Amino acid sequence: MEKINVQKIAFVGGGAMAEAIIKGILGSGLVETQQITVGNPGAPRREYLEKTYGVETLADNCQAVASADLVILAVKPQVAPVALNQELLQALHHGACLLSIMGSVSLEQLHGYLPGFPVIRTMPNTPLAVGAGMTAICCDEQVTPAMLAAAKSIFGCCGEIEVVDEGALEAITAISGCGPGYAFVIIDALADAGVRAGLPRAVATELAAQAFAGSGRMCIATGQHPAVLRDQVTSPGGTTIAGIHALENHGVRGAFYDAVQAVLQRSKELQGK
């Protein structure tokens, strides 16, 4: 993969999502190690990132963003009002592009925190850590084609990408951003059921996880509607339809509808709407 036209990338926050991006861009050769600086207050986390990836880390976010032409905002949304302060604004390099991975923080809010800079807003999910992520990308009118191309390359090396209008981002958060959390709950529950049926825990977990991983890949690779694929494995009067019947009796579809609505409501609360 070709290198991106960025001299220095600075991360404000060095958590799991930041690490997944660092792993992806270094592994794909998009940038060199010396081009990355991470600002993170916790010394153990800084030491881990330095030892694991060889990147520079600093306790002070203002020092971390100095001279960076791409600044990735990777703190939790609740921390944004504190982390994205006047000191950080003054430390930003003129001409820098800001890229946010903070869910539920809108472009308008980002401009309020750090005015005067082009902003790209993204909604990645945690499978980025294994190169199987899904990231939605939107940007403001100040973002140049080169900036957008850099963002697409960064997240493209960690999985799939989709460029969207910001209006779609909250719904995407409820499906794709939170979706891995739903999937892990289901995998855990199915594995528990396997243990109850007499399988060893490790075997039950692997079977459940692979069932979901393989089904997802099949859905994408074939392009067929999930209901069509479901019908292919659901024989008349067979075992699968018996299991699906039990799921429907317990309101599995309604539970997912409610989960998505709960995410949308919580997102509005976080945005102060």
Side-chain angles (χ1 to χ4, degrees):
M1 187 173 290
E2 294 184 4
K3 294 186 181 299
I4 55 176
N5 187 26
V6 173
Q7 297 302 311
K8 179 182 176 182
I9 299 176
F11 287 81
V12 177
M17 292 298 286
E19 180 182 355
I21 296 170
I22 292 169
K23 181 179 179 181
I25 59 180
L26 289 178
S28 299
L30 290 180
V31 296
E32 301 295 333
T33 303
Q34 63 269 22
Q35 292 176 264
I36 299 175
T37 302
V38 182
N40 195 81
R45 184 63 179 173
R46 293 199 309 273
E47 292 170 5
Y48 165 79
L49 292 172
E50 288 180 359
K51 181 178 180 179
T52 306
Y53 301 101
V55 298
E56 179 186 25
T57 67
L58 296 166
D60 190 329
N61 285 328
C62 294
Q63 293 180 17
V65 303
S67 76
D69 47 348
L70 177 61
V71 177
I72 298 180
L73 307 174
V75 296
K76 295 184 182 300
Q78 298 90 328
V79 179
V82 175
L84 310 186
N85 52 34
Q86 284 296 310
E87 289 77 13
L88 186 70
L89 175 62
Q90 294 171 5
L92 289 169
H93 171 61
H94 177 71
C97 178
L98 308 182
L99 190 157
S100 170
I101 65 171
M102 300 182 294
S104 303
V105 181
S106 67
L107 289 174
E108 181 181 5
Q109 289 175 305
L110 290 165
H111 282 298
Y113 292 131
L114 303 171
F117 293 90
V119 178
I120 299 171
R121 183 183 170 196
T122 68
M123 184 63 247
N125 61 15
T126 55
L128 258 70
V130 293
M134 183 69 227
T135 302
I137 302 172
C138 68
C139 55
D140 64 25
E141 63 281 355
Q142 299 178 57
V143 172
T144 67
M147 293 173 181
L148 179 57
K152 291 167 69 174
S153 294
I154 287 170
F155 290 101
C157 73
C158 303
E160 302 299 321
I161 59 171
E162 190 74 36
V163 179
V164 301
D165 293 329
E166 188 180 23
L169 217 54
E170 300 312 317
I172 289 171
T173 299
I175 302 298
S176 174
C178 300
Y182 312 152
F184 294 139
V185 168
I186 298 170
I187 291 169
D188 184 45
L190 189 55
D192 276 349
V195 171
R196 188 176 186 276
L199 293 173
R201 168 65 63 182
V203 173
T205 300
E206 182 180 8
L207 290 171
Q210 185 57 40
F212 278 87
S215 299
R217 289 182 62 182
M218 190 174 181
C219 193
I220 293 169
T222 65
Q224 292 184 301
H225 193 285
V228 173
L229 296 174
R230 178 202 62 204
D231 285 349
Q232 292 174 3
V233 74
T234 308
S235 303
T239 54
T240 301
I241 192 62
I244 291 174
H245 184 194
L247 290 173
E248 296 288 8
N249 279 342
H250 285 81
V252 64
R253 290 177 183 270
F256 279 108
Y257 295 156
D258 289 348
V260 170
Q261 290 302 312
V263 172
L264 294 174
Q265 179 58 41
R266 181 54 179 157
S267 182
K268 287 181 180 179
E269 293 169 359
L270 289 172
Q271 293 184 45
K273 294 182 179 180

